Amino acid sequence: MTETLFLTSDDVAGLAGMDEFVDAVRDGYRQRGTGAPAKPRTTLVNDEPTGMLTGYSAILPETGAMGGYMYSAGFGAGDAWFMTPLFDAESGEPLALIDGASMNPFKTGAAGAVGLDALAREDATSLAIIGSGAQARGQLQAAVTVRDIETVSVFSPTKESRESFAAEMNEALSASVAAVASSAAAVEDADIVITATTASEPVFDGDILEDGTHVTAMGQYHPKKSELDETTIERAKYVPDLRERATQDAGSFLAALESGAVDEDHIHAELGEVVAGEKPGRESEDEITVFDSGGTGIETVAAAYMLYEKATAEGLGSTISLSPASESLTGE
């Protein structure tokens, strides 16, 4: 039997700062850029009751860990559960099983920040965020760790939600955060634009993007749903988290591809290639850049292992016993 650490969401909540998540995830993408294995998500959709079962995985050899996410969403309970199995990349033995719900906005926000850091102008100070939920909160908290953001404009369709978000973030951040009445008002003159929505259609007009803007899109991973319009994709240097995902479930890129606005050569590089220095990131002040983040096992494994190490050092969690196949795969 193998003793494996079990960490609840309460165990990992507040265990690490956002800067620690960003550092861990950046190193994970660096490893991906030099060949670490990772695959896009696989989603199984159920019709009745409506729901989906999703999983994705990665191996980070230098970190010494591998694993990923598996989660259910919808079905009869109308909720979601996130589980992260983490394995030792040398021995293959299970290290931990983590309830992944509380870490989700942090590891996802960290991936957005790594993309932002690799592609946005160094002097970017103004940020627009479309969306006001947990993922938007994580994206904004991570963004301010990699750029000196002075002003933030937030839009979401519900006035109360965007105003509550702005008030909360004003208290939490040194930047000035204000709710605005439209996505156009948020995006105009912004150095950085982040979309963190569940929208099925583009949430702003790509024609209004100023030269030099960086866009992070992280709310959609469905082939028929798009947060960004074809104009934005066409105007931008386009960098997805995984190249394979861009033609699988990156709805904004697929829409531009199907319309003929771009071809597959429009994919400049994977984020990991840019982080590892294998491909250039921003090459001019006037470039528009897009990081399309649909979620991968890279940030999941990187963040989970960082939390596992911190929890182990602090004596958090409980242990469960898992039996190896050599003992239990007997057929008896």
Side-chain angles (χ1 to χ4, degrees):
M1 302 290 282
T2 300
E3 293 299 305
T4 301
L5 186 65
F6 176 65
L7 297 173
T8 67
S9 267
D10 286 343
D11 288 328
V12 301
L15 184 57
M18 184 58 90
D19 56 338
E20 294 175 285
F21 278 94
V22 172
D23 287 345
V25 170
R26 181 185 289 111
D27 189 63
Y29 273 98
R30 179 193 60 77
Q31 292 178 57
R32 168 61 185 174
T34 57
K39 297 294 287 184
R41 73 181 66 235
T42 298
T43 299
L44 304 179
V45 177
N46 196 62
D47 292 330
E48 186 59 43
T50 303
M52 65 179 185
L53 179 66
T54 297
Y56 46 75
S57 57
I59 301 173
L60 300 181
E62 294 178 45
T63 300
M66 57 188 179
Y69 240 9
M70 177 165 278
Y71 62 91
S72 67
F75 297 95
D79 213 320
W81 283 265
F82 298 83
M83 298 180 69
T84 300
L86 192 67
F87 299 84
D88 188 293
E90 288 288 339
S91 68
E93 294 179 342
L95 295 173
L97 179 63
I98 302 174
D99 179 349
S102 65
M103 81 167 182
N104 188 294
F106 294 89
K107 62 97 177 177
T108 306
V114 172
L116 191 162
D117 197 27
L119 296 169
R121 299 195 326 264
E122 291 288 344
D123 64 352
T125 59
S126 60
L127 185 149
I129 189 159
I130 315 300
S132 58
Q135 297 293 358
R137 187 176 295 110
Q139 291 293 320
L140 181 53
Q141 290 174 323
V144 299
T145 70
V146 297
R147 287 295 183 274
D148 293 325
I149 302 300
E150 297 174 359
T151 60
V152 178
S153 298
V154 57
F155 172 75
S156 64
T158 304
K159 184 173 185 286
E160 292 78 9
S161 296
R162 64 184 184 250
E163 289 183 347
S164 174
F165 180 92
E168 176 191 346
M169 291 294 100
N170 249 324
E171 289 292 324
L173 307 178
S174 60
S176 173
V177 185
V180 296
S182 69
S183 62
V187 170
E188 286 174 340
D189 299 324
D191 299 324
I192 297 163
V193 177
I194 298 173
T195 59
T197 77
T198 58
S200 298
E201 301 293 332
V203 295
F204 66 85
D205 183 347
D207 282 324
I208 68 174
L209 288 172
E210 296 284 346
D211 289 345
T213 304
H214 169 71
V215 180
T216 292
M218 59 72 54
Q220 276 299 359
Y221 44 88
H222 188 288
K224 297 299 182 183
K225 297 181 180 181
S226 308
E227 287 185 304
L228 306 183
D229 64 6
E230 295 169 21
T231 301
T232 299
I233 299 298
E234 185 177 14
R235 293 182 67 192
K237 173 177 279 184
Y238 178 78
V239 177
D241 42 19
L242 290 174
R243 185 180 295 270
E244 186 178 350
R245 193 189 70 80
T247 54
Q248 174 179 300
D249 63 15
S252 298
F253 182 78
L254 286 169
L257 190 66
E258 290 166 8
S259 74
V262 301
D263 58 26
E264 290 191 26
D265 289 340
H266 193 69
I267 302 172
H268 169 68
E270 286 190 4
L271 177 60
E273 294 174 304
V274 176
V275 173
E278 299 294 321
K279 295 285 183 67
R282 174 174 292 275
E283 295 178 274
S284 78
E285 292 295 297
D286 294 336
E287 267 187 322
I288 293 173
T289 55
V290 164
F291 171 48
D292 193 337
S293 173
T296 77
I298 301 164
E299 59 262 28
T300 305
V301 173
Y305 187 75
M306 180 268 293
L307 292 171
Y308 162 75
E309 286 198 306
K310 291 180 72 71
T312 299
E314 296 187 24
L316 297 175
S318 57
T319 58
I320 55 177
S321 296
L322 296 179
S323 179
S326 60
E327 295 178 10
S328 300
L329 192 62
T330 65
E332 295 177 357

